[in-house]
Amino acid sequence: QVQLVESGGGLVQAGGSLRLSCAASGRTLSSQTMGWFRQAPGKEREFVAALRWSGDNTYYADSVKGRFTISRDNAKNTVYLKMDSLKPEDTAVYYCAASSTWGVWAVTANAYRYWGQGTQVTVSS
């Protein structure tokens, strides 16, 4: 089992920045990929970014490319999502997730077995 806990959400003005954290615990050795997803009211859960625990592989949704950065600290078993130049349309609950594989399915929520509880990000204009 893997437990994931997100933190770092909050209220920020448009153009501002936030850094989200996802702390992983439990049996994490089988989790090859960590992903960030978000869900706004009335919308489907949307892929944001993904990262491999080992190697340099990252992948971003077009809507956040150039503004968001996913990174990791293996020693702390923690994945981060640095969000810059935030826009009101970035407002959502942000979730981290863990998958046992890496590949094309990294952008699909069904590829992830374990999920955190979510953290609210609200961007005001």
Side-chain angles (χ1 to χ4, degrees):
Q1 298 293 321
V2 175
Q3 295 81 45
L4 305 173
V5 179
E6 304 101 330
S7 62
L11 175 65
V12 65
Q13 294 180 350
S17 299
L18 285 173
R19 187 191 303 271
L20 307 183
S21 299
C22 176
S25 61
R27 299 179 63 84
T28 61
L29 293 178
S30 63
S31 297
Q32 186 175 2
T33 303
M34 298 296 296
W36 285 96
F37 290 77
R38 65 187 183 186
Q39 189 166 21
K43 299 291 185 68
E44 296 290 323
R45 190 163 296 188
E46 176 189 23
F47 171 78
V48 176
L51 164 148
R52 292 183 70 180
W53 279 112
S54 61
D56 299 324
N57 302 77
T58 59
Y59 189 77
Y60 297 92
D62 288 342
S63 60
V64 306
K65 194 174 300 181
R67 299 188 298 121
F68 291 10
T69 303
I70 187 171
S71 62
R72 69 183 187 274
D73 186 332
N74 291 50
K76 297 181 178 180
N77 294 119
T78 300
V79 176
Y80 305 94
L81 184 69
K82 181 64 164 61
M83 305 183 294
D84 295 318
S85 302
L86 283 163
K87 306 173 181 179
E89 52 262 44
D90 295 318
T91 295
V93 177
Y94 283 71
Y95 300 88
C96 67
S99 172
S100 62
T101 63
W102 171 263
V104 63
W105 301 111
V107 304
T108 303
N110 286 342
Y112 295 83
R113 181 175 182 179
Y114 300 101
W115 294 83
Q117 82 285 356
T119 185
Q120 176 70 49
V121 172
T122 302
V123 184
S124 65
S125 59

